[in-house]
Amino acid sequence: MAVSAAVDQSSPFYVAVEGVSPSPGPNWRLVGYAGLVSLAGLGALAWLVSNELRQPAPSDRGTLALVAALLVVGMLFPIAMERHGEREAVDISGVFACALLLRWDPAFAVLMQAVAALLHGAVHRVTWWKRIFNVAQYTLALTAAAWAFHRFAASMPPTEVNRDEFIGALAAAGAFFLANHALTGVAFALIDKVPVISSLIADLGFQASINGLAATSAPLVLVAADANPWLVVVLLLPLAAVHRSANLSLRNDHQARHDSLTGLPNGGRFRQLLESALTEGAHDDRAVAVVMIDIDDFTEVNNTLGHHVGDLVLRQMADRLHDTLGDAGTVARFGGDEFSLLLPSLRSPLEAAQLAERVLRDLETPFEVEGSGLDLKASLGLALYPQHGDDVDVLIQRADVALNVAKKNRAGLEIYSSERDQHSRRRLAMFGELRQAMVSHQLTMRYQPKADLRTGRLVGVESLVRWQHPTLGVILPTEFIALAEHTGLIRQLTEYVLEETAKQSQAWRSARLDLPISVNLSAKDLHDSSLPNKVARLLAIWGIPSEFLVVEVTETALMSEPERAVDVLDELHELRIRISMDDFGTGYSSLTQLKRLPVDEIKIDRSFITNLETDKNDQIIVRSTIELARNLGLEVVAEGVETQGAWNLLSDWGCDFAQGYLIGRPVTPDEITNELRTPFVDLAQRSTTVIELDRSATYSRGLRR
């Protein structure tokens, strides 16, 4: 059986990696090999048909027709599967070709296999020379099988099978598999430009487990067909189930690796393709380019025209980038309005710059949205292999640096320059060491208190992660969260934070200190459909009641892909986990949208609280937000509370909770524990730098600055 890959499932002559163009220029070793196989196979086919083909007996014609029909169906409907990040198709036609060979003559088997291969080529529009190679490949494999079988038995009649016939059938299956594996494996090795022998050996186990075992089922097909043709259908039911399961698996895998809005590869898939392109570039001495693209002021589109218009623009953006780039590379969406281009196998860096400039020009054409033109600008950042780096993380990071420079300077397109990358060494260190930092527990948790504005009591804490880097010192999450998203580590990082938080919650509960803990989620987390199950599992493992966990999400994270985000939040809410909208007022949602979101509380961003005592506009915004939120049945948290005046105003307006340096800075779990065990201490007695609060309020627990 032939195993073929990617777009062209009919032939091992070509492997198409998604979005990565083959190396230009003919592969003469491959051309020569394919020519020799084709000549030998067609010669064998002609000799067998002219010398060995004979009419079957009348009693055999029904079984023969059934097996021949199944051969064609097996070739036309291969079983698709994912392997090493690429799609492969395993056709089961060889099972029935071997069955024809065992019962009748090899000429009829190779003739029917050739017909099936040609039909498959016509249906899938395979080029003529690839069809010829496939016909020849199968002919030679079946010829080898016929030789092995006839060493033991002349045929397998519809009677009791003896030892020689059984051994002959096994020998035929083995010969067919080995010949087919060798013929196709050499072609794949020549395509990939890897050592032939090591490639054949490396792939032998997989092919034997799939194709070798399948070929041995040919005698079962004959036995079933002789007893009752309907038994063949029963025999094929497991194969049909495998076919369906494989298709479902591929569909799920495609969804996991592609953006749901645009259908483009997502960031994780882009990294896989870039890794492959760098390997090919190193082998062929070719350049590779990464281009990061961002739509300038895209937030304003969502603010003024709505998210449905923003989605239309993103889809048009994806289509336009794909049309402009064509077969020259891959377009991917990293999230939000950020896209990326992979330009592999470049002859020179100049070619990359020319392609990027062409993309920039095509994006200048207004986007057609609901009958009117929308004029948008884009910024592009370009990084090259090997000039700017030879690693996936490095190239993405440096393309991102160039993009930031382009946005800052409104330059349209910028090529990475080390002189403009002021944080290169620090960021590169974080890129390469973040994964290990989680393994070695360099990431530690700090907890910032949240107080009830009516009573002053400590009612919860927010879990904040810090990176205790061995050489760079303490790194705040504002630096490495974005890196985690770019490197695809954000989900692992979120799982790490959730587990550390659950451990701490369990430790506090064991000490009879019940305290809800808030955990921040990123936009990538809200696109992870498995997140609710992970959270439920963690709560069960550590014995944490769901009401003691609060998840905080930003407006921007919620609105990047709202449908997927709402689905995940709904599942979390069904677990009775509280949902808090963080940094409220800085994104591009509205309070009316909160009606359809499973949100329990909103956190007013610190930018509205900092000047609350003096800025009348901030006062109006905060009071209106509190009033509308309360009308919607939501609780309100004010962030960045640092003065008594702000506390008093918020308390008077009916705000529920406060966070900020007035209440406490992010501190270690032990410091929170000490605070919880220190009863009835007035806040003013704990720090001389804090203005004394309303003396009519009694504080059941001290709150550290």
Side-chain angles (χ1 to χ4, degrees), residues 335-347:
D337 61 331
E338 189 173 7
F339 293 81
S340 55
L341 307 181
L342 167 58
L343 309 178
S345 195
L346 300 169
R347 289 182 293 269

Side-chain angles (χ1 to χ4, degrees), residues 289-293 321 324-325 328 341-343 346 348-364 378-384 411-415:
V290 173
V291 182
M292 303 299 289
I293 305 174
L321 289 172
T324 303
L325 205 57
L341 307 181
L342 167 58
L343 309 178
L346 300 169
S348 70
L350 180 60
E351 186 180 359
Q354 291 171 340
L355 279 169
E357 289 173 352
R358 189 171 74 196
V359 167
L360 188 61
R361 286 196 302 271
D362 289 348
L363 293 179
E364 292 175 353
S379 297
L380 281 66
L382 186 151
L384 288 158
L413 170 65
E414 283 285 350
I415 299 175

Side-chain angles (χ1 to χ4, degrees), residues 47-56 105-111:
W47 187 88
L48 287 169
V49 171
S50 60
N51 293 279
E52 297 293 325
L53 187 63
R54 61 180 184 272
Q55 290 293 325
D105 58 80
F108 191 80
V110 297
L111 183 61

Side-chain angles (χ1 to χ4, degrees), residues 498-537:
L498 283 169
E499 184 164 7
E500 292 297 308
T501 299
K503 288 180 186 177
Q504 185 56 54
S505 180
Q506 196 271 343
W508 278 333
R509 283 177 54 77
S510 298
R512 299 180 181 274
L513 302 174
D514 293 338
L515 196 63
I517 305 179
S518 300
V519 176
N520 293 279
L521 300 181
S522 75
K524 301 286 186 183
D525 295 320
L526 295 181
H527 304 157
D528 180 8
S529 58
S530 65
L531 178 66
N533 287 334
K534 295 175 184 176
V535 173
R537 187 166 58 248

Side-chain angles (χ1 to χ4, degrees), residues 140-390:
L140 294 175
L142 286 170
T143 301
W147 176 83
F149 179 64
H150 290 292
R151 295 273 294 178
F152 296 91
S155 67
M156 185 171 284
T159 59
E160 182 178 351
V161 178
N162 61 35
R163 183 181 65 87
D164 287 344
E165 290 161 349
F166 177 73
I167 295 175
L170 292 181
F176 176 81
F177 160 67
L178 290 174
N180 199 42
H181 174 60
L183 290 167
T184 58
V186 171
F188 278 124
L190 293 175
I191 290 170
D192 295 334
K193 298 180 181 179
V194 297
V196 172
I197 300 300
S198 60
S199 177
L200 289 174
I201 293 174
D203 206 34
L204 183 61
F206 171 77
Q207 301 298 347
S209 65
I210 300 296
N211 298 328
L213 291 177
T216 61
S217 62
L220 297 178
V221 173
L222 290 176
V223 172
D226 291 333
N228 189 324
W230 287 107
L231 290 178
V232 179
V233 178
V234 175
L235 187 65
L236 294 177
L237 286 178
L239 289 175
V242 171
H243 191 284
R244 183 175 182 277
S245 297
N247 284 333
L248 288 175
S249 176
L250 279 177
R251 189 179 301 118
N252 292 336
D253 182 77
H254 183 274
Q255 292 174 351
R257 298 191 299 157
H258 289 74
D259 173 55
S260 61
L261 178 66
T262 63
L264 295 175
N266 58 20
R269 180 58 176 157
F270 182 84
R271 292 171 57 79
Q272 292 176 345
L273 296 175
L274 178 54
E275 185 74 48
S276 299
L278 293 179
T279 301
E280 292 181 9
H283 187 276
D284 299 334
D285 195 25
R286 294 270 177 169
V288 177
V290 173
V291 182
M292 303 299 289
I293 305 174
D294 187 84
I295 304 175
D296 298 342
D297 303 321
F298 182 73
T299 299
E300 297 303 319
V301 174
N302 287 292
N303 274 340
T304 56
L305 301 178
H307 294 287
H308 70 288
V309 173
D311 289 347
L312 290 174
V313 170
L314 292 174
R315 291 193 186 99
Q316 285 191 38
M317 178 85 165
D319 292 340
R320 192 176 297 186
L321 289 172
H322 189 272
D323 292 342
T324 303
L325 205 57
D327 295 331
T330 297
V331 184
R333 183 186 177 207
F334 266 48
D337 61 331
E338 189 173 7
F339 293 81
S340 55
L341 307 181
L342 167 58
L343 309 178
S345 195
L346 300 169
R347 289 182 293 269
S348 70
L350 180 60
E351 186 180 359
Q354 291 171 340
L355 279 169
E357 289 173 352
R358 189 171 74 196
V359 167
L360 188 61
R361 286 196 302 271
D362 289 348
L363 293 179
E364 292 175 353
T365 304
F367 292 84
E368 293 296 326
V369 179
E370 297 181 344
S372 60
L374 190 62
D375 192 13
L376 295 174
K377 302 297 182 183
S379 297
L380 281 66
L382 186 151
L384 288 158
Y385 163 85
Q387 289 89 335
H388 303 143
D390 57 2

